Amino acid sequence: MGAEFVALSLPPILIGSLAALACALPGNFLLLRRQALIGDAISHVVLPGIVVGFLLTGTVSTWPMLLGAAAAALVAVGAIQLIQRIGRIEPGAAMGVVFTTLFAAGVLLLEQSDTSNVHLDVQHALYGNLESLIWIDATGWQSLLDPEALAWMPPELIRMALVCLIVMAFIGLLWRPLAISTFDEGFARTLGIPATLLGLALVTVSAIAAVAAFDAVGSIIVIAMFICPPATARLMTDRLAVQVALSAVFALVSAVVGYVLAGYGPIWLGYADAVSAAGMIATVSGLLLAAAALVGPRRRGQSA
Amino acid sequence: MGDAPLRVRGLTVSYGASPAVFSADMTVAPGAMTAIIGPNGAGKSTLLKAVLGIVPRVSGQIEVFGAALERQRARIAYVPQRASVDWDFPTRVIDVVEMGLYRRVGLIGRLTRQHRATAGDCLARVGMSDFATRQIGQLSGGQQQRVFLARALAQGADLYMLDEPFAGVDAATEKAIIDVLKSLKDEGRTILAVHHDLSTVPDYFDRVFVINKSPVAEGTVAQAFTQDTLQQAYGGRLATGLLDQLFPATPAAAAPAFPARPS
């Protein structure tokens, strides 16, 4: 089991867990600020950006794609403002229209462009290529200590770990101002907390997490992880710090259990093929939320 | 004592095209309780928020104890309108009060036992000690208002600014809040509150600032809280019965038993 597990299952599980964590942690604050759909939005908007980045450079390297994603996010924000002003459409609907349109445009671009020789297609955009993130050079657990083998780890792993660190550092260092300004923005300003800047920083960090996770695991996980683990955690506690900690636990549980179920569940049930890990991870996170909604101690109407 | 707790010059605030506050001057007297009064939409809350930098101002100068606002943040405490936050937020009463300690604890400093004791004292001062570990959504409106006041107390400020602290609270809470405010005044601190209920102005406050977009009058209750200034600010929107009750020297024909409270 050792060698095969380290080479084939460990990297995807780690990458999936890191991606889940990177999205779920800022998701707590977005959810409480009623901005939870921003994760959804970003992960849709980045598709055309990534495709354009690819078309302009002809490679699937990270930087052009990330820059393309960032540019697409800017275009989206501008378009939302424009539609709200000119079309007199409420903000939520304007968001929905812009993100769906941009995602659809991304799909069209993908179809029309010659991306057949690279792993850039609609399926990839939706549920990523988690299973293909393998570590061929690994021969067993001892490879974790072998610098030569380590050099051939999937680059997504390093990138996702880095992004996860950025997210955790941001939330850890700015915990107090984030909590205060999320609860009571006006009061936060009177304390001298730059609330607008902090809100922008939160959205930016969320965008970094969304783009990195999108690249590694596809948009389904991104959308699910921004909302499901925080929402589940909210139903379990009335304390912000506990909620954030629990959301991390639920994100990790979803990633690990989802990956294992996708890989082995169908076989246990007698089917031949594994199912999409991204789909299963997102499904597990949704089931956790459903369970918490049914029996969680802090459902609406439940008192302490 | 030379520097007024708050001095505002030529403050104009605008939401969209029309100004919400226009060219307001204001000088808050030290160690007194001042009410900001005026009709709905007169810019009372906006004035407070603009002074505190919560909403941007078009023009105007703000001086707090003789210096720029940014340098005096630590000397100001603020109690926002209760309805301005989501009370379903995952936080307990004591956590909210500890938010008031932010400037003292700092970005990543640890809450010491002393900090916690301070927060507990502030909660006790508003009579809410028994509710320290409750989720804030489980409190009544009056209790929520007291928690906000306790948070302001934790700020340990010299100038307290409150936005409608008595709006929608029960009688016991109103009494508790006014007692705390009066004790703050006795300690030499300054209080400035947006206030809606004209009938309690003379009982609660020393001074008034009457505004209807632009300032109408400013001074002690005897000077500025007059039939004349109120009529000027409220126009026809003031129930005649209320004026009769407030200024019984000029009796009118048929006064209703209860004043219609502006809502």
Side-chain angles (χ1 to χ4, degrees):
Chain A
M1 145 110 181
E4 193 181 308
F5 177 81
V6 173
L8 300 181
S9 294
L10 187 63
I13 287 179
L14 282 179
I15 292 169
S17 299
L18 289 168
L21 208 55
C23 294
L25 290 176
N28 285 287
F29 294 96
L30 294 177
L31 195 72
L32 292 169
R33 287 165 176 248
R34 312 207 181 287
Q35 295 180 325
L37 282 178
I38 278 184
D40 189 345
I42 293 165
S43 64
H44 278 97
V45 163
V46 295
L47 180 66
I50 285 178
V51 179
V52 170
F54 165 74
L55 289 177
L56 288 179
T57 60
T59 62
V60 276
S61 55
T62 312
W63 285 110
M65 300 211 303
L66 289 185
L67 287 176
L74 283 179
V75 169
V77 171
I80 291 164
Q81 298 291 332
L82 208 66
I83 288 178
Q84 273 182 50
R85 297 235 177 108
I86 299 173
R88 286 211 260 166
I89 288 172
E90 57 141 332
M95 257 202 220
V97 165
V98 168
F99 297 139
T100 322
T101 310
L102 281 173
F103 187 74
V107 171
L108 292 181
L109 266 178
L110 260 181
E111 279 186 352
Q112 291 303 312
S113 58
D114 181 25
T115 54
S116 51
N117 56 339
V118 293
H119 66 246
L120 200 62
D121 51 53
V122 178
Q123 280 79 12
H124 173 216
L126 274 181
Y127 45 81
N129 56 342
L130 197 50
E131 293 90 341
S132 69
L133 300 174
I134 51 174
W135 184 18
I136 307 171
D137 290 56
T139 53
W141 290 103
Q142 71 276 7
S143 297
L144 286 172
L145 300 172
D146 176 6
E148 218 164 288
L150 278 175
W152 292 100
M153 282 249 220
E156 283 87 351
L157 183 57
I158 318 288
R159 211 178 298 145
M160 216 51 248
L162 213 69
V163 167
C164 217
L165 267 180
I166 293 174
V167 167
M168 289 197 277
F170 173 76
I171 291 176
L173 286 175
L174 299 177
W175 175 268
R176 240 170 239 153
L178 265 176
I180 296 175
S181 67
T182 301
F183 172 59
D184 189 345
E185 186 171 322
F187 180 72
R189 283 178 207 274
T190 67
L191 294 174
I193 294 170
T196 310
L197 202 66
L198 199 60
L200 269 175
L202 175 66
V203 171
T204 307
V205 165
S206 305
I208 293 172
V211 170
F214 172 90
D215 174 45
V217 299
S219 62
I220 287 183
I221 291 191
V222 175
I223 296 166
M225 287 307 147
F226 266 112
I227 300 177
C228 290
T232 311
R234 176 65 189 96
L235 294 167
M236 305 301 292
T237 177
D238 276 333
R239 300 185 64 184
L240 183 59
V242 181
Q243 179 190 320
V244 171
L246 280 178
S247 76
V249 172
F250 290 132
L252 294 175
V253 167
S254 305
V256 175
V257 172
Y259 186 84
V260 171
L261 275 185
Y264 301 102
I267 298 168
W268 293 336
L269 290 174
Y271 296 98
D273 299 316
V275 295
S276 150
M280 187 57 87
I281 290 172
T283 305
V284 169
S285 74
L287 290 176
L288 284 175
L289 176 56
L294 287 176
V295 297
R298 292 294 178 270
R299 283 168 293 145
R300 208 172 279 272
Q302 292 292 105
S303 58
Chain B
M1 287 303 273
D3 292 319
L6 177 65
R7 200 187 299 271
V8 178
R9 288 287 166 268
L11 177 71
T12 295
V13 186
S14 175
Y15 295 130
S18 62
V21 173
F22 185 70
S23 190
D25 292 344
M26 176 185 197
T27 305
V28 174
M33 288 178 63
T34 303
I36 301 176
I37 57 175
N40 288 322
K44 307 184 292 291
S45 293
T46 304
L47 172 73
L48 213 58
K49 287 180 188 161
V51 162
L52 288 160
I54 298 172
V55 298
R57 43 185 190 262
V58 175
S59 65
Q61 290 169 326
I62 314 286
E63 233 176 56
V64 178
F65 294 104
L69 171 72
E70 285 307 325
R71 293 178 49 203
Q72 303 282 28
R73 290 271 187 210
R75 298 183 72 182
I76 304 176
Y78 172 54
V79 178
Q81 277 184 25
R82 188 162 48 84
S84 66
V85 305
D86 172 16
W87 290 92
D88 201 31
F89 198 84
T91 190
R92 302 170 307 169
V93 166
I94 194 71
D95 301 323
V96 173
V97 178
E98 284 167 1
M99 288 179 188
L101 298 169
Y102 174 72
R103 290 197 68 96
R104 271 183 271 172
V105 181
L107 201 56
I108 43 178
R110 286 186 68 84
L111 276 176
T112 62
R113 191 181 305 170
Q114 204 179 347
H115 288 132
R116 291 186 201 281
T118 305
D121 288 347
C122 295
L123 211 48
R125 213 165 153 185
V126 299
M128 288 287 293
S129 294
D130 294 342
F131 297 86
T133 56
R134 289 277 190 97
Q135 196 269 331
I136 52 171
Q138 297 168 12
L139 306 179
S140 73
Q143 291 168 333
Q144 291 172 344
Q145 191 68 58
R146 291 198 224 181
V147 172
F148 263 7
L149 182 60
R151 179 177 70 177
L153 291 174
Q155 292 184 267
D158 297 315
L159 170 60
Y160 285 77
M161 298 208 224
L162 304 91
D163 199 346
E164 302 216 16
F166 305 112
V169 304
D170 52 286
T173 295
E174 182 150 343
K175 172 85 168 58
I177 292 176
I178 198 68
D179 286 349
V180 169
L181 294 183
K182 286 193 163 150
S183 73
L184 284 172
K185 185 183 113 176
D186 293 341
E187 294 166 12
R189 304 176 204 259
T190 306
I191 287 134
L192 176 65
V194 171
H195 192 60
H196 224 129
D197 183 4
L198 294 181
S199 67
T200 53
V201 167
D203 289 341
Y204 291 174
F205 294 93
D206 310 311
R207 300 174 63 86
V208 289
F209 179 82
V210 190
I211 183 172
N212 186 9
K213 306 239 194 247
S214 296
V216 172
E218 178 178 29
T220 63
V221 168
Q223 291 167 340
F225 191 70
T226 64
Q227 198 163 355
D228 193 36
T229 59
L230 291 185
Q231 237 146 14
Q232 211 183 320
Y234 288 81
R237 278 177 283 184
L238 205 59
T240 47
L242 180 60
L243 278 179
D244 298 336
Q245 193 194 44
L246 288 169
F247 308 102
T250 54
F258 291 100
R261 204 184 132 154
S263 58

